[in-house]
């Protein structure tokens, strides 16, 4: 695997889940695979889980790790081509990327959507520049439109807990309110991965929040949140800003802060005693109430723990295919 962005990059999902279970049973099984190989993690945005779990995954495989926080100590980078660099940006990404490629064997990239230029974001411009100019295999640690390490960890978690229920699970992705504009990467990837998995999948959100059909084709969209929640085994909450599908000018905007969408105990009472999930970080009182996130059915911590597993599988695949 030279690039990890979409669910198809992983190939057969059942095989990937089998591999995840193997790693989970013995996470050091391949601890010499990465000897003298260096992972460079490049962060253009903040992170807690991705930073720690991906570094841990690399250490499980015996790799060395370098972390670069672009906005904390590196030169300010220009990303557009053809500009006169007379402002505050000292270096161009087109030099920085091949230089980064000189010092490592694999590169992970976190580069969120800017949420102002839909075409630029949805073309995955920054990620593809790393693919093209670094000379190394690359993987997404949340890029402009996707967060596949998260979606893979979510699938691993759903697979584990669905097995305990003994039925094909109903999984619901619900929009929930948030004070700031957030990217669509997490819901895009979650939808893409759920549609490739063996689950009944429903998406619910207020009108205007339709996700890009490239990620949701084939999913059931139910605008009535209560109807969507009925019979659900897993409730996956997430805020996202307007994807600009029905109205391009609204791209990246906060269209609603409707608190009736906050997942509380009453919402959960409509479900089949569902597990609550969220990728974290989460704002309590906005996305979910304290009692729901603290309930025994909440999976937010096991889900975060599985980030180490999804990252170990992905790095292992990258190392093995070199
Ligand atoms: C980010 C997002 O919504 O994409 C990261 C989530 C993993 N969240 C925030 O910026 C709060
Ligand atoms: N879920 C997730 O990716 O968290 P971080 O933004 O803290 O890495």
């Amino acid at each position: 695997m030279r690039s990890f962005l979409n669910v198809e990059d992983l190939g057969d999902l059942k095989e990937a889940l089998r591999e995840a279970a193997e790693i989970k049973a013995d996470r050091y099984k391949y601890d010499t695979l990465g000897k003298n190989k260096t992972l460079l993690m490049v962060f253009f945005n903040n992170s807690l889980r991705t930073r720690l779990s991906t570094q841990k995954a690399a250490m499980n495989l015996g790799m060395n790790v370098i972390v670069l926080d672009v906005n904390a100590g590196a030169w300010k980078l220009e990303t557009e081509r053809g500009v006169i660099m007379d402002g505050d940006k000292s270096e161009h990404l087109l030099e920085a990327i091949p230089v980064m490629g000189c010092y490592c064997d694999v590169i992970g990239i976190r580069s969120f959507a800017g949420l102002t230029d839909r075409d630029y974001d949805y073309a995955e411009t920054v990620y593809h520049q790393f693919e093209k100019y670094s000379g190394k295999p690359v993987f997404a640690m949340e890029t402009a439109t996707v967060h596949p390490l998260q979606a893979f960890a979510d699938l691993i978690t759903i697979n584990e807990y669905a097995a305990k229920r003994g039925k094909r699970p109903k999984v619901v992705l619900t929009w929930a309110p948030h004070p700031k504009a957030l990217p669509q990467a997490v819901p895009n990837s979650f939808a893409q991965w759920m549609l490739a998995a063996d689950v009944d999948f429903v998406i619910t959100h207020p009108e205007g929040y339709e996700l890009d059909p490239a990620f949701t084709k084939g999913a059931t969209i139910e605008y009535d949140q209560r109807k969507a929640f009925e019979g659900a085994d897993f409730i996956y909450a997430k805020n996202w800003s307007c994807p600009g599908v029905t109205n391009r000018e609204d791209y990246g905007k906060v269209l609603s802060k409707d608190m009736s969408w906050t997942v509380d105990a009453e919402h959960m009472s409509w479900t089949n005693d569902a597990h609550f999930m969220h990728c974290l970080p989460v704002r309590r009182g906005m996305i979910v109430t304290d009692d729901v996130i603290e309930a025994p059915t909440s999976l937010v911590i096991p889900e975060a723990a599985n980030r180490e597993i999804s990252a170990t599988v992905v790095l292992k695949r990258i190392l093995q295919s070199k």
Side-chain angles (χ1 to χ4, degrees):
M1 189 162 62
R2 292 281 306 177
S3 175
F4 180 60
L5 202 62
N6 293 305
V7 68
E8 303 82 46
D9 297 326
L10 214 51
D12 182 54
L13 265 191
K14 285 213 171 76
E15 172 54 27
L17 286 168
R18 196 204 54 71
E19 225 169 290
E22 179 196 48
I23 297 283
K24 196 153 179 173
D26 177 6
R27 60 197 71 201
Y28 303 109
K29 188 164 180 182
Y30 301 94
D31 63 355
T32 55
L33 188 64
K35 185 174 161 47
N36 292 338
K37 300 284 181 198
T38 300
L39 168 66
L40 170 63
M41 301 200 290
V42 182
F43 288 95
F44 290 86
N45 313 92
N46 296 340
S47 167
L48 187 153
R49 279 142 292 273
T50 304
R51 179 184 297 269
L52 298 179
S53 62
T54 311
Q55 182 156 357
K56 177 62 166 61
M59 295 190 310
N60 292 346
L61 298 166
M63 297 183 86
N64 303 312
V65 184
I66 308 175
V67 182
L68 178 69
D69 287 296
V70 173
N71 298 318
W75 300 107
K76 243 185 165 192
L77 292 177
E78 177 58 64
T79 54
E80 302 286 336
R81 208 173 157 275
V83 295
I84 295 168
M85 289 171 57
D86 60 354
D88 61 339
K89 292 173 177 161
S90 309
E91 178 154 25
H92 203 287
L93 200 57
L94 292 173
E95 281 78 54
I97 292 174
V99 169
M100 291 182 209
C102 295
Y103 310 134
C104 63
D105 302 282
V106 183
I107 306 182
I109 302 140
R110 167 157 289 203
S111 174
F112 287 179
L115 297 177
T116 50
D117 182 342
R118 190 181 198 281
D119 291 337
Y120 184 85
D121 289 345
Y122 272 72
E124 285 291 358
T125 313
V126 172
Y127 182 82
H128 290 311
Q129 284 181 336
F130 271 91
E131 247 179 355
K132 197 165 165 194
Y133 300 115
S134 72
K136 304 292 166 175
V138 295
F139 63 96
M141 301 196 300
E142 187 170 338
T143 57
T145 66
V146 290
H147 195 1
L149 285 172
Q150 181 65 50
F152 186 18
D154 297 334
L155 175 61
I156 294 167
T157 311
I158 288 170
N159 191 47
E160 288 170 351
Y161 285 82
K164 294 172 189 165
R165 294 194 164 214
K167 72 184 257 282
R168 191 171 200 258
K170 178 178 175 182
V171 178
V172 178
L173 166 64
T174 182
W175 178 93
H178 190 276
K180 292 186 181 167
L182 294 184
Q184 296 107 41
V186 170
N188 282 346
S189 281
F190 188 71
Q192 186 188 62
W193 286 67
M194 285 304 116
L195 287 165
D198 191 19
V199 304
D200 287 329
F201 184 51
V202 177
I203 306 174
T204 184
H205 53 70
E207 284 192 34
Y209 278 98
E210 291 75 17
L211 293 163
D212 194 302
F215 297 100
T216 59
K217 202 165 15 123
T220 304
I221 317 284
E222 171 57 69
Y223 292 101
D224 182 334
Q225 196 189 22
R226 182 173 182 145
K227 265 196 202 148
F229 273 47
E230 279 167 10
D233 298 295
F234 295 87
I235 296 296
Y236 193 95
K238 182 72 185 87
N239 173 267
W240 61 91
S241 62
C242 176
V245 169
T246 40
N247 212 346
R248 270 185 91 83
E249 307 84 74
D250 285 342
Y251 176 65
K253 289 193 181 144
V254 175
L255 302 179
S256 167
K257 290 184 188 168
D258 184 351
M259 300 287 279
S260 74
W261 284 76
T262 302
V263 180
D264 63 10
E266 195 201 336
H267 284 69
M268 294 305 280
S269 76
W270 305 331
T271 71
N272 179 29
D273 195 23
H275 289 289
F276 176 80
M277 297 179 73
H278 189 281
C279 64
L280 307 181
V282 72
R283 291 193 185 227
R284 289 178 177 218
M286 293 290 309
I287 303 281
V288 59
T289 54
D290 293 300
D291 52 340
V292 170
I293 198 169
E294 289 169 3
T297 40
S298 168
L299 294 181
V300 295
I301 307 304
E303 186 183 351
N306 277 333
R307 290 292 306 276
E308 177 186 343
I309 307 304
S310 65
T312 307
V313 172
V314 167
L315 280 171
K316 169 181 169 281
R317 294 265 187 111
I318 290 173
L319 289 169
Q320 283 175 333
S321 63
K322 282 184 73 188

